Amino acid sequence: MKSLWSDEDAAQCLAEGGELALRVYTSRLLGQNPDLVLHGGGNTSLKGLSATVFGESVETLYVKGSGWDLKTIESAGFPPVDLNYLQRLGKLNDLSDTQMMRELRLALLDPTAPTPSVEAILHALIPHRYVDHTHTDAVVTLSNSEGGAARLAELFGNEVLILPYTMPGFVLAKQVAEATADTNWTKLRGIVLLNHGLFTFAEDAKDSYNAMIELVTRAEDFIAGQVDDSATESVIPLRPFDRLAFAELRYEAGKVFGSPVLASLDTGVDSLRFAAHEAAGKLVASGPLTPDHTIHTKPFGAVFPPSPVAGLRSFCSDYSDYYGVHAHPEHRCLDLMPRFGVWIERGIVRFAPSLKRLKIVEDIVAHTIPAILTGERLGGWRPLPRTDLFDVEYWELEQAKLKSPSSAADPSRELEGKVALVTGGASGIGHATVLRLVAAGAVVCALDLDESAETLFTGLPSVMGIRCDVTDSEQVDSAIDACVSRFGGIDILVSNAGFFPSSQSLAELGDEEWARSIALNLTAHTRLLKLCIPLLKLGFDPAVVFIGSKNVLAPGPGAAAYSAAKAGLAQVARIAALELGGQGIRVNTLHPDAVYDTALWTDELLDARASAYGMSVEDYKRKNVLRTEVTSADVAEAVFLFAGTRLGKTTGSQIPVDGGNDRVI
């Protein structure tokens, strides 16, 4: 494991913000390494002094606050806590979780600060100024393998204390206190909590960080020396992707969960090795890399046969049994939807109700699958028993993380969990539509002929840009596969791609221009709808929105090829509304006009058209009944209304978005 430490950066942090800034710096070094810390895992602390309003000094523990992530933590993420108060708490014989959290709040020296980590008492009891705790993959993988505790003891010797797994919080703090009662802390560099993680500590920030890196590297090197990657399990050739089976699985999973969900399929090397493993079913159901992951992934995964819905039903039954065996009267069963599973000989499936949650599940599973494979090759994967996993999954302090205000549903994101496919998504109305649907919580597959489609949305994880010629059947089919594989299905289809041919009278109209307009403005839309219908039938509140044109209702001379194609599209939309209504699929059409913030309208063209009317450009843009300018965002807002459920009782409609055109009216 590479050290990210920089003496120059550390010195600058110390000079600008003191030791707390240095604590932030080293915490971020740990947090940005996913092999050490994933999604809020791990915690760090610093012991120092703080001043009261009376000018008195108080021994203080600055410890990571609940809800903060080490990857991005700031000084405000380290609430100051009365160190002596915490140490006195550590001497109590018993302290319930509710009492502990109350006492941690009482121990705060700043009442506006976040709640201290549940490990705060343990940090207080470790007699070193800097304490680092991670869920290092390498160390936890070793502890989860057959004979792992003995291996770790041999590997680390007297430098590291190896302790059996204990629930986090007060119980763990007491365990460490009792185990180290006679310990010479000056000779101890770390503590391994089996199946959980690694603590390192020192008087100096760099020493504590380096101890973490060195000990983890030792574990990584040991694993590399024991496991020969050239002798890994053979990978069965990837079976063809069955997008309808996958969409059906996602739909049924959403029914189990009670709202739309996203599903993704990973077909990377490790996932395929796992999916081809003869014991894949047993391994995926055995347990996670560390019990902290259970609140995100549940304690075990599902096994999906070629027809995967049967595997979903089996998981629901298994989880119900698991809950029945371990639950107490005060518990309330969580939803039965799996968060991941192995699709035999196809890959690893992940589920979540939002993209944010899906990303967390994907990241955790991406570390869990190779760890399980490694554990098997080290003699057998041996995670914690389900009794311990249940205790963590249903631990009130863990569940509180999922119920925090920051995780509450945003009512403005009414399309959360839904998948949209938008054509012509790289510019104009299509681009505005993509952004509007994303703002409402949807994930979007944006198709466009332009090369920029694949890079335009970089940095926007809710959008998968795909370069695609919608007149090419193979490209469209491939794009739909990619969309379903990434997000699980299609709920919203916005068929927007098109072009406006150059003006030609009927006497001048060439066959090539006519054929091109019909191909893109009519045939491509119809073919795309046909391919998406089976997926829309498996969608949540499925909706189709066609982007038509004012020319359907009020054609003009010189636009026969365009007007005829768009009129044909309007008829296809009406027929689709009639044919698909029985499956709950709504089909509506929008007819924009005079939308000038698109690539079609250059400054030169606007100047020319305005001059022809003897008007300024601004007046020309408002040449409608409402005397208002119509933008791509206005059309996108109308798309959003039809894509959601606000107009859920409307289908087969044709709505102009034009500021009022006297010929249309």
Side-chain angles (χ1 to χ4, degrees):
M1 177 165 287
K2 182 181 178 181
S3 171
L4 302 178
W5 180 275
S6 164
D7 285 332
E8 181 179 348
D9 291 344
Q12 182 176 353
C13 288
L14 190 60
E16 294 178 354
E19 287 199 286
L20 186 55
L22 186 60
R23 175 69 285 179
V24 170
Y25 169 68
T26 58
S27 298
R28 288 185 174 186
L29 294 186
L30 297 172
Q32 65 187 267
N33 189 332
D35 291 337
L36 294 175
V37 176
L38 282 175
H39 297 286
N43 42 64
T44 58
S45 67
L46 163 69
K47 296 179 182 70
L49 296 174
S50 63
T52 70
V53 70
F54 305 108
E56 300 168 346
S57 294
V58 178
E59 289 188 287
T60 303
L61 176 74
Y62 297 91
V63 63
K64 192 191 94 165
S66 179
W68 285 83
D69 193 314
L70 290 183
K71 185 177 182 179
T72 56
I73 198 165
E74 300 173 0
S75 295
F78 288 95
V81 192
D82 187 324
L83 177 60
N84 291 323
Y85 194 93
L86 294 183
Q87 291 172 338
R88 290 178 64 192
L89 290 176
K91 295 178 181 179
L92 295 175
N93 293 324
D94 189 38
L95 195 64
S96 70
D97 293 333
T98 301
Q99 289 174 316
M100 179 182 71
M101 298 312 297
R102 179 178 182 277
E103 295 301 326
L104 290 182
R105 291 296 306 175
L106 286 172
L108 280 170
L109 297 173
D110 177 0
T112 66
T115 300
S117 164
V118 296
E119 305 289 11
I121 297 176
L122 174 54
H123 281 253
L125 296 179
I126 296 176
H128 284 283
R129 299 185 65 243
Y130 286 87
V131 179
D132 297 325
H133 171 46
T134 73
H135 297 157
T136 155
D137 285 358
V139 173
V140 179
T141 296
L142 281 174
S143 73
N144 282 351
S145 64
E146 184 68 37
R151 283 195 180 102
L152 289 167
E154 181 180 354
L155 183 64
F156 294 141
N158 295 328
E159 292 181 274
V160 176
L161 181 66
I162 312 293
L163 296 178
Y165 173 79
T166 301
M167 274 282 289
F170 183 75
V171 177
L172 176 58
K174 292 295 291 183
Q175 179 202 32
V176 173
E178 292 169 2
T180 59
D182 299 319
T183 296
N184 183 349
W185 284 91
T186 62
K187 296 184 178 180
L188 200 62
R189 301 184 71 199
I191 299 174
V192 169
L193 307 175
L194 293 176
N195 310 99
H196 181 77
L198 172 66
F199 277 86
T200 58
F201 31 78
E203 292 301 298
D204 177 77
K206 183 176 183 180
D207 289 343
S208 184
Y209 174 78
N210 283 343
M212 180 67 69
I213 300 303
E214 291 170 15
L215 293 174
V216 172
T217 300
R218 204 180 300 179
E220 290 177 336
D221 291 346
F222 177 83
I223 291 173
Q226 296 294 311
V227 176
D228 182 4
D229 282 332
S230 65
T232 57
E233 301 89 341
S234 61
V235 177
I236 294 178
L238 180 64
R239 292 178 180 269
F241 178 53
D242 187 341
R243 70 185 181 215
L244 286 183
F246 194 53
E248 182 183 16
L249 174 61
R250 176 245 180 177
Y251 178 70
E252 293 297 329
K255 287 169 62 178
V256 169
F257 187 75
S259 67
V261 299
L262 304 176
S264 63
L265 178 65
D266 181 18
T267 55
V269 174
D270 284 327
S271 292
L272 289 183
R273 285 175 181 166
F274 195 94
H277 198 289
E278 61 182 4
K282 176 181 75 71
L283 293 174
V284 80
S286 59
L289 184 57
T290 177
D292 299 70
H293 293 166
T294 59
I295 62 168
H296 299 297
T297 65
K298 290 193 176 291
F300 52 91
V303 183
F304 300 117
S307 298
V309 173
L312 174 66
R313 297 192 185 103
S314 294
F315 179 89
C316 293
S317 176
D318 291 345
Y319 189 87
S320 294
D321 291 343
Y322 153 82
Y323 178 79
V325 168
H326 301 291
H328 298 291
E330 69 272 17
H331 291 133
R332 181 178 178 182
C333 189
L334 302 172
D335 70 88
L336 303 181
M337 184 183 75
R339 296 307 191 265
F340 77 105
V342 56
W343 194 0
I344 300 300
E345 298 179 1
R346 284 168 172 79
I348 300 296
V349 182
R350 294 77 55 97
F351 303 94
S354 68
L355 186 64
K356 178 181 179 181
R357 292 289 175 198
L358 183 65
K359 176 62 175 172
I360 292 173
V361 174
E362 288 174 341
D363 288 348
I364 290 174
V365 173
H367 286 256
T368 301
I369 293 303
I372 293 176
L373 292 172
T374 298
E376 275 295 281
R377 287 148 64 189
L378 287 171
W381 180 250
R382 302 290 184 268
L384 287 170
R386 288 190 176 181
T387 298
D388 292 315
L389 298 177
F390 183 91
D391 288 342
V392 175
E393 183 185 9
Y394 281 82
W395 190 25
E396 60 179 316
L397 302 185
E398 286 292 89
Q399 286 300 315
K401 297 177 182 178
L402 299 180
K403 299 175 183 177
S404 63
S406 62
S407 65
D410 182 346
S412 69
R413 295 174 64 81
E414 65 179 74
L415 300 183
E416 197 85 77
K418 291 189 177 183
V419 185
L421 188 150
V422 178
T423 64
S427 63
I429 291 170
H431 184 257
T433 295
V434 169
L435 298 182
R436 182 63 184 92
L437 297 182
V438 166
V443 294
V444 181
C445 294
L447 278 56
D448 203 287
L449 179 63
D450 195 281
E451 296 181 344
S452 67
E454 295 181 350
T455 58
L456 181 63
F457 301 102
T458 300
L460 193 61
S462 297
V463 183
M464 180 171 68
I466 303 174
R467 186 182 183 188
C468 177
D469 180 352
V470 293
T471 66
D472 185 314
S473 298
E474 290 186 3
Q475 288 189 34
V476 173
D477 197 61
S478 176
I480 293 173
D481 265 357
C483 182
V484 176
S485 175
R486 178 67 190 96
F487 297 124
I490 296 176
D491 307 299
I492 300 163
L493 172 62
V494 182
S495 199
N496 163 72
F499 86 110
F500 193 90
S502 58
S503 180
Q504 290 181 329
S505 68
L506 286 170
E508 301 169 330
L509 182 60
D511 290 346
E512 183 176 342
E513 195 77 350
W514 172 270
R516 184 182 173 214
S517 179
I518 296 297
L520 178 54
N521 294 322
L522 175 57
T523 304
H525 293 261
T526 307
R527 182 190 298 117
L528 176 64
L529 175 63
K530 178 182 176 181
L531 288 172
C532 288
I533 284 173
L535 295 166
L536 290 165
K537 289 180 179 179
L538 296 168
F540 296 97
D541 304 313
V544 178
V545 182
F546 285 108
I547 304 301
S549 169
K550 177 268 297 182
N551 281 36
V552 172
L553 308 170
Y562 182 76
S563 301
K566 286 293 187 178
L569 180 61
Q571 290 297 89
V572 168
R574 294 171 69 191
I575 293 168
L578 292 169
E579 293 184 355
L580 302 179
Q583 284 81 48
I585 302 172
R586 295 174 288 115
V587 184
N588 295 286
T589 303
L590 297 174
H591 293 307
D593 182 42
V595 183
Y596 297 115
D597 61 340
T598 66
L600 173 67
W601 291 94
T602 63
D603 291 341
E604 292 76 15
L605 180 58
L606 272 172
D607 285 336
R609 295 298 295 271
S611 297
Y613 281 88
M615 307 171 77
S616 69
V617 170
E618 290 305 310
D619 287 340
Y620 177 75
K621 288 181 178 181
R622 294 175 170 80
K623 191 174 64 69
N624 53 53
V625 172
L626 293 176
R627 298 293 185 264
T628 185
E629 183 177 347
V630 181
T631 67
S632 297
D634 295 321
V635 183
E637 190 66 29
V639 172
F640 160 67
L641 290 176
F642 278 122
T645 57
R646 301 187 188 195
L647 296 176
K649 309 296 183 181
T650 301
T651 192
S653 70
Q654 300 186 54
I655 306 295
V657 186
D658 56 11
N661 182 295
D662 53 1
R663 292 180 61 210
V664 171
I665 294 173

